[in-house]
């Protein structure tokens, strides 16, 4: 159902979730030093969430120190553990692209910060795109 909704809304019919992190600002706890300070210069904790096509949370991991990057938070999150240990009900079937013989597995989509995994797709790094990898928008 989630993949169908991604297809209907975003023309991405093999996505089963979108993953991202968000810094939640807080007052720096007493005697914590700079561990909560993020790269933006304020104290925070990181909310890592997997959302459906309508931006509703499917899985949430919150509380890591703000100084840790999205990739770092993901690597130590419960979300990563559940995915790596195949404890989530991710379809094992593949999605057939219409008019093609190409089968694509259902997967999660994330931004450049996340690791490329068989179940996690991310875009090419923008700074290293060649002419074939760029998509020109009119």
């Amino acid at each position: 159902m989630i993949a169908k909704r991604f297809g209907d809304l975003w023309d991405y019919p093999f996505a089963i979730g979108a993953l991202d992190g968000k810094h939640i600002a807080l007052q720096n706890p007493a005697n914590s030093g700079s561990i909560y300070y993020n790269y933006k210069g304020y104290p925070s904790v990181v909310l890592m969430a997997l959302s459906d096509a309508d931006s509703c949370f499917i899985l949430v991991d919150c509380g890591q120190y703000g100084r840790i990057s999205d990739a770092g938070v993901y690597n130590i999150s419960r979300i990563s553990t559940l995915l790596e240990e195949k404890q989530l009900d991710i379809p094992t079937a593949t999605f057939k692209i219409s008019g093609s013989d190409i089968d694509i597995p259902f997967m999660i989509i994330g931004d450049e910060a996340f690791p490329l995994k068989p179940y996690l797709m991310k875009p090419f790094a923008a700074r290293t795109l060649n002419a074939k990898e760029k998509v020109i928008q009119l």
Side-chain angles (χ1 to χ4, degrees), residues 19-104:
L19 183 66
D20 205 1
K22 174 72 177 162
H23 287 271
I24 308 298
L26 54 85
Q27 185 174 355
N28 201 33
N31 303 315
S32 64
S34 62
I35 199 163
Y36 286 95
Y37 277 86
N38 62 38
Y39 68 96
K40 296 178 181 183
Y42 61 86
S44 67
V45 291
V46 179
L47 169 80
M48 180 71 50
L50 183 65
S51 304
D52 67 13
D54 294 297
S55 302
C56 296
F57 292 154
I58 300 169
L59 288 172
V60 175
D61 186 298
C62 188
Q64 295 299 330
Y65 302 123
R67 70 173 176 82
I68 304 173
S69 68
D70 278 359
V73 170
Y74 172 76
N75 287 334
I76 59 176
S77 73
R78 181 78 175 130
I79 296 170
S80 174
T81 301
L82 291 169
L83 288 166
E84 286 293 321
E85 294 177 0
K86 298 179 178 167
Q87 294 181 14
L88 299 177
D89 192 20
I90 295 176
T92 56
T94 56
F95 179 83
K96 178 80 76 182
I97 296 178
S98 62
S100 169
D101 291 337
I102 299 173
D103 289 328
I104 298 176

